[in-house]
Amino acid sequence: MTGRVSVAEISADLGARAESFCRAYFSEGCRQGDYWQVGDTSGAAGRSLVIRLQAQDGRKAGGWIDYATGEFGDLIDLLHAKLGSTSLKETITEAQHFLGITPISADPAPRRTLKSPAASNSSRMMSARKLFAAGKPVLGTLAAAYLHQRRIARFGPALRYHPRVYFRGADTGPDQPRYCPALLAKITDNQGNITGCARTYLDPNTGRIADLSSPKRILGQLHGNAVRFWSASDPVDLIVGEGLENTLSVGTALPEFNLASCLTATHLGLFIPPSGIKRICIARDNDAAGERAAHILSAKLGTVGVECRCLVPKLGDFNEDLLAFGKDTLRRTLLLAMKKEG
C-alpha cells in the first residue's frame, strides 16, 4: 500500500488482520471462538479483555472491550495503551511497521488525538472516586443482603452500595445502556488515596450476583493496590486475599486481622504492601492461578524481608469453605494453618 493513508484505513487494515495482531502484541491471550481473550491492555494473562476477530452483526473486526474496567475501542486505541505511547504518531508508526505499509503523512486528515495512558488512568481514577462517593453505607441494603447470603459478616467503610450503576457490554446492544444495583468496594494505595472502585452488579430481585457475562468490574487503577479492611490488630501483620468475597470470608472468621483484597489472582501477585508490614498471610484460591500468584508474591516480598505464609482453602475458595463448614470451623482451620506455617 502506498501514498497517503488515513488513520481510519489503518484501523480497518489492523482489524482485517486482527488475529495476527493479537498473536503479535497479546501473546499471553488465546482465541475463544470469534474472540481473542487476554487480561488487560498491558497484555497480561487473563480473560477480562476481549477482541473481536471477525466482523459480525454490523460490528467491525478489531473492536474490543475490557469488562473489568469498561474501556473499549479499536485496535489503534489498544495498541496505544499497550505501547504506552506519548503520541498518536508513535502508535501509528508501530501499526505501519506491523502492516508493512508506507509511513503516514506527518499531518494526516482527519486528525485524531488519543489520551496518554497517564491521562486515561487519571480520568478513570476520578470517575472511580465520584462513583464511590455517590454510594451509601452497606447496612440495610441489597449489598448487605448479598453478603449475608454468603455468610459474610466482615464489613467496613471500604464498602458502599449504589442502587443504579451503569454498565455496558456483551449483555446489551451498543445503543442499549443499562443500570443495575451494585456493591462498591474502594481500592486504595498505601497512602489511603482512592485509585479505583470495584463493582459487583446485583440482581434487584434475588440479591444475588446479576446474570451478566461480566458481573464484576473494576474502574480505575488496581495494580499494586487493594481493597482494605482494618481492625485493631498488630499493624505488622496482614492477610492478603484474591477475590473480595474470599478475603471477607477469611475476615469473618478472623475479625481481629487486617485485610487487603487484591480482587484477582493476577493482582494478588502484583500487590505492594504498606511499609511496616513484617508478616503476610496469602489467602489464595485453591487453583493453579492462585498458587502461581501466591508464589510470585512470596518470592517478591521475600527479597525485602517480609515473611509470607500461604493459606489454602479445602474447597475452591474460602467463601465456599465458610458456607460449607461454618465460621467457627473455618477459624480453627485458619489459625492452625497459620501456626503450622509459622
Side-chain angles (χ1 to χ4, degrees):
M1 184 180 295
T2 59
R4 188 185 185 99
V5 183
S6 71
V7 175
E9 288 175 308
I10 292 177
S11 177
D13 288 341
L14 290 175
R17 297 174 58 181
E19 184 169 353
S20 296
F21 175 93
C22 292
R23 293 189 183 280
Y25 294 102
F26 295 91
S27 58
E28 290 297 318
C30 62
R31 179 165 185 161
Q32 295 290 336
D34 292 332
Y35 292 87
W36 189 269
Q37 289 187 318
V38 71
D40 53 34
T41 56
S42 73
R47 298 184 299 173
S48 67
L49 190 149
V50 297
I51 305 163
R52 192 179 307 110
L53 299 179
Q54 297 179 3
Q56 56 182 327
D57 300 327
R59 299 181 181 182
K60 297 178 180 179
W64 62 274
I65 183 169
D66 187 338
Y67 289 113
T69 66
E71 298 174 274
F72 60 92
D74 64 11
L75 292 183
I76 289 180
D77 300 311
L78 190 56
L79 183 60
H80 189 75
K82 167 70 174 178
L83 298 175
S85 302
T86 58
S87 68
L88 174 61
K89 182 179 179 180
E90 182 180 342
T91 302
I92 293 299
T93 298
E94 177 64 25
Q96 291 171 315
H97 286 319
F98 171 76
L99 293 170
I101 62 176
T102 303
I104 198 167
S105 64
D107 187 22
R111 193 176 183 88
R112 175 179 175 179
T113 59
L114 294 174
K115 290 183 179 180
S116 69
S120 295
N121 280 338
S122 178
S123 176
R124 290 194 295 270
M125 284 192 285
M126 185 62 67
S127 296
R129 291 167 186 162
K130 289 179 179 178
L131 175 58
F132 189 77
K136 63 180 183 179
V138 166
L139 291 178
T141 69
L142 189 69
Y146 164 69
L147 294 172
H148 285 315
Q149 285 176 3
R150 304 187 74 153
R151 297 189 187 176
I152 291 171
R154 180 77 179 266
F155 293 1
L159 300 180
R160 286 189 181 177
Y161 169 73
H162 197 294
R164 196 168 182 266
V165 179
Y166 172 84
F167 76 87
R168 181 176 177 179
D171 305 279
T172 63
D175 300 319
Q176 296 175 292
R178 288 184 56 188
Y179 297 84
C180 265
L183 169 66
L184 308 178
K186 176 177 63 175
I187 300 166
T188 58
D189 61 19
N190 287 327
Q191 289 71 49
N193 301 307
I194 298 177
T195 64
C197 181
R199 299 155 288 172
T200 301
Y201 289 101
L202 304 173
D203 186 314
N205 299 314
T206 67
R208 300 181 183 277
I209 289 183
D211 184 19
L212 302 173
S213 59
S214 182
K216 295 185 177 183
R217 308 183 187 188
I218 297 165
L219 175 64
Q221 178 64 26
L222 179 56
H223 188 123
N225 304 318
V227 181
R228 302 163 199 264
F229 302 87
W230 303 115
S231 71
S233 69
D234 189 336
V236 301
D237 292 303
L238 181 65
I239 295 176
V240 181
E242 282 191 54
L244 184 63
E245 295 87 350
N246 176 71
T247 309
L248 289 175
S249 295
V250 174
T252 296
L254 301 174
E256 68 272 31
F257 281 86
N258 295 322
L259 308 173
S261 174
C262 299
L263 302 178
T264 73
T266 297
H267 290 93
L268 176 64
L270 298 172
F271 178 65
I272 301 172
S275 60
I277 294 294
K278 301 298 183 183
R279 290 178 295 275
I280 280 182
C281 287
I282 304 172
R284 68 172 178 87
D285 286 359
N286 192 4
D287 58 19
E291 182 178 13
R292 182 169 56 252
H295 176 75
I296 291 171
L297 183 59
S298 295
K300 179 175 68 175
L301 297 185
T303 63
V304 293
V306 177
E307 177 187 346
C308 289
R309 308 170 184 180
C310 199
L311 304 175
V312 185
K314 294 182 181 298
L315 302 177
D317 61 42
F318 283 110
N319 188 242
E320 290 185 25
D321 280 13
L322 177 62
L323 290 169
F325 310 123
K327 179 178 69 174
D328 293 339
T329 298
L330 179 58
R331 178 178 176 84
R332 289 193 295 269
T333 301
L334 287 168
L335 289 175
L336 180 60
M338 292 165 74
K339 183 178 180 180
K340 285 182 177 179
E341 285 283 342

